[in-house]
Structures are given as structure tokens and as C-alpha cells.
Amino acid sequence: MDCLFCKIVSGDVPADVVAETERTVAFRDIAPQAPTHVLVVPREHHADAASCIAADPGLMVEVMAAAVVVARSERLDGGYRLLANTGSDAGQTVHHLHVHVLGGRALGALG
Ligand code: 5GP
Ligand code: ZN
């Protein structure tokens, strides 16, 4: 399987990694949409949030918990957005579950 985020997890593709746990990796987005824009992924490949929840709900919890830890370490004290684009209508472009951690400025409304 040719998956960009699996390659980042394995180290085959370089990334600016900001945090790691046994089952997750967090790295900076290559095209940041906010002063802080970090992606948190499970090491194991799951195509999206729905697949991960179906296969291993505890892993989804670990991904969300890792995202909150990143927000804290990035000092996003004014608030932040956790976002998981899921499927084509959401514009998901990389089909390996990732939670965006966005913050560092007022983000405005969604949609
Ligand atoms: P999606 O649109 O699927 O929710 O988000 C995919 C994200 O991955 C985008 O924000 C995009 O900028 C980011 N991205 C795409 N390719 C790379 C890459 O090679 N390295 C990093 N760090 N981020 C990437
Ligand atoms: Zn993958």
C-alpha cells in the first residue's frame, strides 16, 4: 500500500515530528493553515476516523488524547480546533486517519 502517512510514521518520508506515543505520531503540516497546524496519526494504518472507530475505538481515543497533549505543549491557551476530515465531501486528501490540531489565532467559523 502506498500511503504517505505510513511513510512518515516509518521515517521513509521526513517530517517535523513534535510528539510520539507508543501508538501515535504528531508532526507539523507541510502547508500550515494556522500558526500551529499539527497532524496526529495512529502508527497503524486506518483510512479514516470511521474505520479506526470500527476496528479499534481505543486507538481513536489515544489519537484524540495525543492531540490535546500537543495543543497543551504548543500553548494554545486561547483555544484550538481538532478536525478529522472524513471522506470526499470533507475534502480528505490523505487516506490515513489524521486529526488536525489548529490554533494560535482566532479560527473563525466552520463551513
Ligand atoms: P486532509 O485534507 O486529508 O484532511 O489533510 C491532509 C493534510 O496533509 C493537508 O493539510 C496537507 O497539507 C498535509 N500534507 C500533505 N502532504 C504532506 C507531507 O508530505 N508532509 C506533511 N507534514 N503534511 C502533508
Ligand atoms: Zn497509512
Side-chain angles (χ1 to χ4, degrees):
M1 184 184 25
D2 194 34
C3 172
L4 174 63
F5 287 174
C6 280
K7 289 179 183 162
I8 286 179
V9 167
S10 68
D12 292 334
V13 168
D16 184 359
V17 173
V18 297
E20 295 186 77
T21 68
E22 193 181 333
R23 295 218 287 168
T24 71
V25 180
F27 53 90
R28 295 198 191 280
D29 197 290
I30 203 167
Q33 303 298 309
T36 289
H37 189 173
V38 171
L39 303 174
V40 182
V41 305
R43 292 183 187 276
E44 191 174 280
H45 182 89
H46 296 278
D48 58 23
S51 311
C52 184
I53 283 284
D56 187 348
L59 181 55
M60 189 75 212
V61 172
E62 289 184 40
V63 170
M64 294 304 282
V68 169
V69 169
V70 165
R72 197 179 303 136
S73 63
E74 293 284 316
R75 302 179 187 280
L76 302 180
D77 304 326
Y80 51 90
R81 182 169 289 152
L82 304 181
L83 183 72
N85 289 323
T86 305
S88 55
D89 276 2
Q92 185 180 2
T93 58
V94 179
H95 296 279
H96 178 132
L97 165 63
H98 50 283
V99 171
H100 297 256
V101 182
L102 293 152
R105 65 166 167 78
L107 294 168
L110 277 178

